[in-house]
């Protein structure tokens, strides 16, 4: 992983030179700018990890630059303000605009280094927290003692040591993202960001903006490739990427640089790319639906995640791990599975793989009351047994309710099923269910069905 990249913006040459030398001695990469316009140019050339920004400069003051960056969305990175003539009001205004801290000149070098270190660490922890909250309840690492999982974990650890591109294949819900995160945790880039992009969830025509960012009206929007600088970019369901964007990605991987949409200057690529798909990309290439050169680029190291039905001996351990995780993270009541229930689940086909197992465990922890999950509960949860005294059901829909509620319940179950079958790909789902995509989005929203994370 490359060292953090810091931009120092100050109109005083002595301060720029001194701060730059001190930071470089501490192992940071440093660029400098003597005024606001050069600072804007530096941000177009490369996204910094931190900015040291002087307030009083000849062309534009630091507060105005801070406002400009804040109005564009969010600050590109932590910003530490510097000034020899600052006031309390100026410091408060800078903080309200998102600045991390305010340092007075003459600078205390010890305080400068401490503030820089703390700002970078706070930003890293904030990004990790965002990623943590964005994840669903999948496992944090691949769980299982079966031979196939032991071999897969060993293989991932070996691959992690080399900064090559990786292609992960497997059925939806099998744990492809978990494998990618496990690889990230064991790589030299472990302290960098893990930026995940659900390709199938990107709006049509928006993939280039999402990946490469944009320059417009002198402002820069950083894409996912730059956000993942120093870390890993995870492209889930890469087979759904537009052919035009595939060509741009091939060029970026070939040259190590890319252009933002609307930009003219190349940006250096400093992210390891891990792609995942449910499809056989070789078949997609043969059908003309995926670029052959991109396939060979990504397929440097292939990893395959087996479906749950091929490692049934891991199911008791997965059940226990899911219970512990849901109790810890969601404060659900602890329950253990009876031996009969575990044995029954070992023989279930698990079309939804690990994701289906976790959803089942979550439902049983929420709805159950006894400390032990019984075989009858499991069968009922899987829709294979009608509990005594329960309202009659058809296809999982309770029939003892008004027609409108029953219809809405069926629609939700129907849409969730087809969304799962389509791997979260709205275009594919719309074709299957025979609905126009805009109407389908509205229907999913009305029924409270989340698309992200599928």
């Amino acid at each position: 992983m490359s060292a953090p990249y810091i931009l120092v913006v100050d109109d005083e040459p002595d301060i720029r030179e001194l701060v730059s030398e001190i930071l470089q001695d501490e192992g940071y990469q440093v660029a400098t700018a003597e005024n606001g316009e050069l600072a804007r140019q530096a941000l177009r050339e490369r996204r910094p990890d931190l900015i040291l920004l002087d307030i009083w400069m000849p062309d534009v003051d630091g507060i105005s630059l801070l406002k400009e960056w804040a109005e564009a969305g969010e600050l590109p990175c932590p910003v530490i303000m510097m000034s020899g003539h600052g006031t309390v009001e100026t410091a408060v205004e800078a903080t309200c605009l998102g600045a991390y801290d305010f340092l007075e000149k003459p600078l205390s070098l010890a305080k400068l280094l401490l503030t820089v270190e703390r700002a970078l660490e706070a930003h890293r922890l904030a990004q990790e927290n965002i990623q943590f909250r964005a994840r669903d309840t999948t496992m944090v690492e691949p769980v299982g003692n079966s031979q196939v999982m032991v071999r897969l974990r060993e293989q991932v650890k070996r691959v992690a040591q080399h900064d090559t591109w990786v292609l992960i294949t497997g059925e939806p819900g099998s744990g492809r993202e978990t494998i990618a995160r496990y690889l990230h945790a064991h790589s030299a880039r472990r302290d960098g960001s893990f930026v995940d992009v659900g390709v199938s969830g990107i709006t049509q025509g928006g993939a280039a903006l999402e990946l490469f960012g944009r320059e417009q009206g002198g402002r820069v929007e950083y894409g996912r490739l730059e956000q993942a600088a120093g870390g890993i970019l995870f492209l889930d369901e890469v087979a759904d990427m537009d052919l035009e964007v595939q060509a741009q990605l091939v060029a970026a991987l070939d040259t190590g640089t890319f252009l933002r949409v609307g930009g003219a200057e190349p940006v250096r690529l400093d992210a390891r790319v891990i792609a995942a798909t449910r499809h056989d990309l070789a078949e997609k290439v043969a059908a003309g639906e995926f670029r052959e050169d991109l396939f060979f680029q990504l397929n440097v190291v292939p990893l395959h995640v087996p479906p749950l039905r091929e490692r049934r001996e891991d199911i008791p351990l997965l059940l226990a791990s899911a219970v512990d995780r849901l109790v810890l993270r969601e404060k659900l009541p602890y329950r253990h599975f009876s031996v009969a229930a575990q044995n029954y689940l070992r023989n279930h086909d698990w079309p939804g793989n690990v994701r289906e197992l976790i959803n089942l465990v979550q439902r049983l922890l929420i709805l159950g009351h006894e400390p032990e999950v019984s075989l009858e509960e499991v069968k009922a949860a899987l829709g294979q047994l009608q509990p005594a005294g329960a309202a009659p059901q058809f296809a999982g829909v309770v029939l003892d309710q008004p027609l409108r509620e029953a219809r809405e319940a069926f629609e939700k179950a129907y849409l969730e099923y087809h969304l799962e079958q389509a791997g979260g790909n709205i275009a594919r789902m719309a074709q299957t269910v025979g609905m126009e995509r805009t109407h389908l989005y509205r229907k999913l929203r009305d029924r409270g069905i989340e698309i992200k994370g599928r």
Side-chain angles (χ1 to χ4, degrees), residues 265-300:
E265 295 296 324
V267 180
R268 185 168 70 91
L269 174 62
D270 182 28
R272 182 179 187 178
V273 177
I274 298 178
T277 181
R278 64 193 291 186
H279 299 285
D280 184 332
L281 286 190
E283 291 182 358
K284 289 284 185 180
V285 170
E289 298 173 356
F290 198 82
R291 290 182 63 99
E292 185 177 38
D293 47 4
L294 181 56
F295 171 61
F296 288 129
Q297 284 274 27
L298 297 175
N299 200 40
V300 175

Side-chain angles (χ1 to χ4, degrees), residues 204 407 410-416 418-419 422 425-447 449 451:
Q204 192 169 13
R407 183 173 62 244
F410 175 77
E411 279 187 357
K412 183 174 182 181
Y414 174 82
L415 293 171
E416 284 183 332
H418 282 289
L419 183 62
N425 186 316
I426 297 298
R428 187 184 303 124
M429 179 183 174
Q431 187 175 11
T432 302
V433 302
M435 293 176 67
E436 194 273 325
R437 194 184 305 186
T438 303
H439 180 56
L440 178 56
Y441 272 115
R442 189 181 304 116
K443 181 69 74 173
L444 290 169
R445 186 170 61 249
D446 290 345
R447 295 293 172 260
I449 299 173
I451 302 172

